[in-house]
């Protein structure tokens, strides 16, 4: 069973995740990504989906045109865990080569 991160652990982790922030009312962390167009946004989502499936840890996300809003929480633990931090880092690595808006 993966353990919830403490408030201090969450804040420390977010120090190394620029662009990500706590979504307190959802016991989650989140970040919005804006891409050049829908094709880039969906290409990003496709790669994240494969990484999420490999990690067996899946985002709660929303896509409108070239924007992808990503929310991460660990449902099995009821809040933010190391799995969310790891997936956020993987998502940032996937986003890096894409062209921004
Ligand atoms: C059975 C399966 O391993 C679990 O339901 C996984 C699937 N993906 C998951 N994703 C997220 N974000 N949190 C979970 O607790 C979780 N659990």
């Amino acid at each position: 069973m993966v353990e919830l991160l403490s408030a201090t652990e969450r804040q420390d982790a977010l120090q190394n995740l620029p662009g990500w922030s706590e979504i307190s009312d959802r016991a989650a962390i989140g970040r919005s990504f804006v891409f050049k167009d829908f094709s880039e946004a969906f290409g990003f989502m496709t790669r994240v989906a494969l990484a999420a499936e490999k990690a067996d840890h899946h985002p709660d996300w929303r896509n409108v045109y070239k924007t992808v809003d990503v929310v991460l929480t660990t449902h099995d633990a009821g809040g933010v865990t190391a799995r969310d931090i790891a997936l956020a880092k993987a998502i940032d690595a996937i986003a890096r080569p894409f062209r921004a808006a």
Side-chain angles (χ1 to χ4, degrees):
M1 169 72 171
V2 63
E3 296 299 318
L4 288 175
L5 297 182
S6 67
T8 304
E9 289 169 327
R10 289 197 307 273
Q11 285 306 318
D12 290 348
L14 288 171
Q15 293 296 320
N16 300 312
L17 285 169
W20 291 84
S21 55
E22 285 212 69
I23 306 174
S24 303
D25 61 337
R26 297 178 65 179
I29 59 171
R31 179 176 179 182
S32 287
F33 297 85
V34 182
F35 296 91
K36 174 177 167 295
D37 53 27
F38 175 73
S39 178
E40 297 273 298
F42 200 80
F44 163 78
M45 292 179 76
T46 301
R47 291 182 64 180
V48 170
L50 295 174
E53 189 63 7
K54 185 174 181 182
D56 191 29
H57 199 72
H58 303 82
D60 177 345
W61 51 0
R62 180 174 185 267
N63 161 243
V64 177
Y65 181 41
K66 59 184 179 178
T67 299
V68 182
D69 298 316
V70 181
V71 175
L72 302 178
T73 188
T74 303
H75 307 298
D76 295 343
V80 178
T81 71
R83 289 182 182 165
D84 301 303
I85 305 304
L87 185 55
K89 288 176 180 169
I91 288 172
D92 283 352
I94 289 168
R96 202 159 296 126
F98 282 83
R99 290 166 290 168

